[in-house]
Amino acid sequence: PSPKQPQGGLGRFVATYTLGNDNYDTSFSLETAKQEFLGECGMGISETIGEGKPDKVTAFDLWLFDKADVRTVTQILMSEHANDDHNLRSKLTAKGQLVLAEKGKTVELETESLRLKAQVTELVYATNPDLPPNSHFQKLVVEILPSLKEPMPA
């Protein structure tokens, strides 16, 4: 049994990245019970480090698009290394609000009419002797709970 939907809930989605999925980009359509399109949310690769395959992902975009709003809001879930690397941080700042990815951490994104709560439920760093420790992800699982800010009248 899944956790109880919040009032105005639009579903429960799980974004799961594993090392080797070099084209990782997942999105979920947000619709009312009557199939009215409200927007989308998702997670994709924001930044990689190092050379060669597979890509070594050091940061992800977590985003929320609201058709009633002109902008897409984005938060960047970063590795410990990306969080500590000044050059990487300044590069990522242009993409969205920076957040250190930590197991159990919850982040919120908000637009004109939508709200999204996302929780990091699993985080495993990959090890690579050529790269700094905790610099890229072996696995990242994020549970996404989008909802309407104001519940639609029945």
Side-chain angles (χ1 to χ4, degrees):
S2 64
K4 186 177 177 299
Q5 273 299 311
Q7 185 79 10
L10 299 171
R12 174 185 172 272
F13 306 106
V14 178
T16 303
Y17 164 82
T18 49
L19 184 67
N21 188 347
D22 290 354
N23 299 315
Y24 182 78
D25 188 12
T26 189
S27 63
F28 307 100
S29 189
L30 305 179
E31 297 175 344
T32 65
K34 298 179 181 129
Q35 307 299 301
E36 177 195 351
F37 179 76
L38 300 171
E40 286 185 322
C41 62
M43 187 170 90
I45 295 172
S46 180
E47 192 66 41
T48 61
I49 63 169
E51 299 293 321
K53 296 290 179 196
D55 287 343
K56 294 146 203 72
V57 181
T58 193
F60 289 92
D61 295 321
L62 180 68
W63 54 271
L64 175 63
F65 164 73
D66 179 350
K67 78 165 194 178
D69 203 334
V70 292
R71 65 202 166 90
T72 297
V73 292
T74 305
Q75 289 195 4
I76 309 300
L77 294 174
M78 306 178 295
S79 69
E80 285 180 15
H81 169 73
N83 189 54
D84 296 339
D85 184 309
H86 180 72
N87 293 335
L88 211 42
R89 280 184 70 93
S90 54
K91 183 177 181 182
L92 292 169
T93 298
K95 299 182 181 187
Q97 182 185 341
L98 304 182
V99 178
L100 172 61
E102 297 174 291
K103 186 171 179 178
K105 178 172 270 187
T106 300
V107 295
E108 289 191 37
L109 281 75
E110 213 167 276
T111 61
E112 191 75 30
S113 61
L114 300 173
R115 179 177 290 126
L116 179 149
K117 274 191 176 182
Q119 183 175 30
V120 177
T121 57
E122 195 175 335
L123 184 159
V124 180
Y125 283 113
T127 52
N128 183 319
D130 302 329
L131 295 169
N134 298 349
S135 62
H136 64 292
F137 298 95
Q138 175 76 38
K139 185 172 187 180
L140 183 68
V141 180
V142 178
E143 182 181 52
I144 300 170
L145 293 168
S147 59
L148 286 164
K149 280 176 145 177
E150 293 299 320
M152 299 287 246

